[in-house]
Amino acid sequence: MRLVLGMAGASGSIYAERFIKALSTIEGTTFFVCSPAALRVFREEMRCTVASSAELLDFVRTKYGLNSANHRFEIRNFSDIGADIASGSNTWKAMVVVPCSMKTIASINAGLTESLIDRAADVTLKERRPLILVPRETPYNRIHLKNMLELHDAGATILPASPGFYQLPKSLEDLGDFVSERIFRLLGAELDLYPRWNPTRLSED
Ligand SMILES: Cc1cc2nc3c(=O)[nH]c(=O)nc-3n(C[C@H](O)[C@H](O)[C@H](O)COP(=O)(O)O)c2cc1C
């Protein structure tokens, strides 16, 4: 799997963390771009001091004891609009932005391409590759809804950070895994990060 992974400054660092953890278990390469706001939110939510994308990845690797032999993470700078992933001449299977802020939703929809997340998303859409955006905001105003509808119509998939509760999550990590699995399913992979719905379960309980 060859992916672009953007992380924007919405609440929900656990979703990115669990997605990175799961990615580490499969073969492939991920081009990782993190916004300054994403780092700030990550620090707040994970009670840590990470100051760069590299430190964030190290934090996740250390927390879960990940062996990154399988999966290569290549860090790209948020402001480097001349990076390899700013051009459609480079290939990647899909791009995921998790979590995705309303600001990044708005700028991708407006085609502003000022940051590398925005530019890579713009390229992903123009090359007709899957773009999966995982927004987190509540409630939505009309601008949010309009931007998400327009992005949907432009070919993106809006996969809200709305974990289901029917698999009886016991932790934040379970919620993160639910959303991660939904992303992987759209990418054509099944990692079975949470138990499948079993309609006979209630009668067994
Ligand atoms: C602690 C914290 C939580 C935030 N949560 C959200 C959120 O859930 N959704 C959102 O759209 N923006 C949220 N924001 C605001 C964004 O971080 C802000 O709009 C920022 O400019 C987004 O920049 P980016 O899209 O380049 O990462 C939050 C900011 C902070 C500091």
Side-chain angles (χ1 to χ4, degrees):
M1 178 124 36
R2 195 174 157 85
L3 286 184
V4 174
L5 173 59
M7 195 174 156
S11 180
S13 305
I14 189 70
Y15 299 116
E17 197 182 88
R18 298 300 284 188
F19 187 67
I20 290 168
K21 176 181 183 281
L23 263 183
S24 306
T25 66
I26 61 177
E27 266 183 45
T29 300
T30 292
F31 300 94
F32 180 58
V33 194
C34 190
S35 77
L39 287 172
R40 173 167 177 180
V41 176
F42 193 89
R43 284 195 293 272
E44 300 277 353
E45 296 188 342
M46 297 302 168
R47 312 312 294 157
C48 65
T49 57
V50 298
S52 65
S53 308
E55 286 183 22
L56 189 153
L57 282 179
D58 277 348
F59 177 90
V60 178
R61 284 192 191 112
T62 307
K63 181 167 176 180
Y64 295 110
L66 300 177
N67 170 1
S68 42
N70 261 340
H71 202 95
R72 202 169 72 205
F73 286 91
E74 294 206 10
I75 293 169
R76 296 293 180 267
N77 195 300
F78 181 70
S79 55
D80 184 6
I81 43 80
D84 45 6
I85 56 168
S87 167
S89 59
N90 285 302
T91 52
W92 55 89
K93 178 185 164 75
M95 176 168 174
V96 179
V97 185
V98 57
C100 190
S101 69
M102 288 301 130
K103 178 235 173 188
T104 290
I105 288 272
S107 47
I108 297 171
N109 189 42
L112 293 179
T113 71
E114 213 173 277
S115 76
L116 186 57
I117 293 181
D118 299 347
R119 171 62 188 166
D122 197 73
V123 170
T124 302
L125 284 177
K126 86 180 170 71
E127 299 297 335
R128 305 267 193 244
R129 298 173 195 159
L131 173 65
I132 301 169
L133 304 171
V134 185
R136 211 267 12 142
E137 187 51 277
T138 196
Y140 292 129
N141 65 30
R142 193 175 199 286
I143 299 168
H144 302 149
L145 291 165
K146 177 180 146 295
N147 284 332
M148 289 192 286
L149 181 60
E150 287 179 7
L151 281 167
H152 165 85
D153 291 347
T157 298
I158 305 294
L159 190 158
S162 308
F165 290 83
Y166 52 83
Q167 91 288 22
L168 309 180
K170 293 183 179 53
S171 62
L172 283 183
E173 287 73 19
D174 287 350
L175 300 175
D177 285 350
F178 183 97
V179 170
S180 295
E181 180 71 23
R182 300 312 290 254
I183 300 171
F184 280 111
R185 297 273 167 99
L186 284 178
L187 296 172
E190 296 193 18
L191 272 63
D192 288 330
L193 299 174
Y194 63 86
R196 283 163 195 263
W197 167 242
N198 171 7
T200 62
R201 189 187 65 201
L202 281 181
S203 53
E204 288 164 1
D205 279 351

